Amino acid sequence: MAQATSVQAPENLARFKAPSRPHLALRLLKRKVAVAGFVILLLLIVVALTAPVIRAADPDKVVPRAALQGPSTEHWFGTDQYGRDMYSRVIYGTRISLLVGFISVSIAVVVGTTLGLISGYYGRWVDTTVMRFVDIMLAFPGILLALALVSILGPSLTNLMIAVGVSSVPAYARLVRGSVLSAKENVYVEAARVVGCTDGTIMRRHVLPNVVAPVIVLATLGFATAILSAAALSFLGLGSQPPTAEWGRMLSEGRNYLREQWWIATFPGLAIMVTVLAMNLLGDGLRDTLDPRQQVNT
């Protein structure tokens, strides 16, 4: 009987082998919505990296005689109240918005994953202490918590990224904790303890890889939320400061000209909408691709 079990075990394990990375990539490519989001995001990244090549005009150059001109062949997106070229400002604003989203999400992922990993793995009083702290943060709406942090730290682009990142930590901490509570009960974790692996090694090599997939999905969707939050705070004057070309700040500057000079606020708003839409489409596709239930069905 023992020999039969030892022979059948590899076959059973092979039957439930995790999908390879190429297989997951092919599954993602089959989702046209996710591919569309990825293509849009890739184009935005290219625009951000090649902004000086795409548009040589200085986004902060003030030309009073060209103030409040509508879209034309000379100024594709028109000019603002100071005569600055809106096309250049929207292009350079892509850099700021993507940078804010990336750094904010990175802060949230690193801090939230660390807290969730420690809380879920050790449990007991460590879990209670960390989760009660997270619950306190969750008692405040994310945008309100970010607003309070920026007010304390002071209005600047750096403080904006820190505030948006910290306000997103609770979501990652709770997600990772829940995944760790399930992953640490697996047999291979017990085997790692038996052979003398340290807690740090077990968490890094055996537990963390099992919680990466949901974190990637949440980070993709959180990227869009971070851009929206940053734009909202900049709109209130608590983010980037003049003359920085940032989409939220540009919306704030154009709100007094909506009736007649509609282009000042419209084009930055469209840029925010397209970016957030692309991230949401990509995030939805990743969520469906990495869902174990979808993998079993296919």
Side-chain angles (χ1 to χ4, degrees):
M1 180 66 69
Q3 293 178 354
T5 303
S6 62
V7 173
Q8 294 176 1
E11 295 178 357
N12 294 333
L13 290 175
R15 183 182 304 174
F16 297 102
K17 184 179 180 181
S20 61
R21 291 181 180 179
H23 178 65
L24 291 176
L26 291 175
R27 285 171 50 82
L28 182 61
L29 289 176
K30 292 180 180 178
R31 304 184 182 278
K32 297 181 180 180
V33 174
V35 173
F38 176 76
V39 171
I40 295 174
L41 178 61
L42 186 61
L43 290 175
L44 289 172
I45 294 175
V46 171
V47 167
L49 295 177
T50 61
V53 178
I54 295 175
R55 188 68 176 183
D58 184 357
D60 300 328
K61 184 179 180 180
V62 176
V63 184
R65 65 177 181 277
L68 301 178
Q69 292 184 4
S72 63
T73 55
E74 183 179 0
H75 303 286
W76 292 357
F77 291 175
T79 60
D80 63 6
Q81 65 273 28
Y82 301 109
R84 296 174 296 191
D85 183 67
M86 288 299 300
Y87 175 74
S88 298
R89 292 182 64 77
V90 170
I91 292 297
Y92 277 88
T94 308
R95 284 182 167 185
I96 303 297
S97 295
L98 293 182
L99 179 65
V100 169
F102 177 77
I103 294 181
S104 300
V105 170
S106 298
I107 293 173
V109 168
V110 172
V111 178
T113 300
T114 302
L115 291 178
L117 191 60
I118 294 174
S119 175
Y121 183 81
Y122 288 106
R124 297 183 179 181
W125 66 268
V126 176
D127 184 27
T128 302
T129 302
V130 174
M131 285 299 103
R132 294 300 76 78
F133 174 73
V134 171
D135 289 341
I136 293 175
M137 296 181 67
L138 284 173
F140 300 91
I143 187 65
L144 182 60
L145 181 59
L147 180 62
L149 291 174
V150 171
S151 300
I152 294 173
L153 298 174
S156 71
L157 191 60
T158 301
N159 293 338
L160 171 67
M161 293 185 287
I162 294 174
V164 174
V166 171
S167 65
S168 303
V169 165
Y172 294 90
R174 292 178 67 89
L175 174 66
V176 172
R177 173 184 176 271
S179 300
V180 170
L181 289 175
S182 175
K184 75 175 184 178
E185 301 299 330
N186 291 325
V187 176
Y188 56 81
V189 175
E190 294 295 333
R193 291 196 185 100
V194 172
V195 299
C197 293
T198 62
D199 290 342
T201 301
I202 294 174
M203 286 189 288
R204 185 179 68 256
R205 298 184 59 182
H206 303 288
V207 177
L208 184 59
N210 289 279
V211 304
V212 169
V215 170
I216 291 176
V217 175
L218 182 60
T220 305
L221 297 173
F223 194 98
T225 304
I227 292 178
L228 283 176
S229 299
L233 293 174
S234 295
F235 183 86
L236 297 175
L238 297 175
S240 61
Q241 299 301 303
T244 303
E246 196 273 335
W247 292 339
R249 185 74 192 181
M250 294 161 67
L251 282 174
S252 178
E253 293 175 349
R255 59 184 172 178
N256 296 325
Y257 301 90
L258 284 175
R259 290 183 177 274
E260 297 180 358
Q261 289 78 28
W262 51 269
W263 56 87
I264 300 178
T266 298
F267 290 112
L270 288 175
I272 295 174
M273 183 195 73
V274 170
T275 304
V276 172
L277 177 62
M279 295 306 304
N280 285 333
L281 294 177
L282 180 59
D284 288 341
L286 285 174
R287 180 188 59 195
D288 295 337
T289 302
L290 297 174
D291 188 351
R293 292 169 296 183
Q294 296 288 341
Q295 295 174 12
V296 171
N297 294 334
T298 56

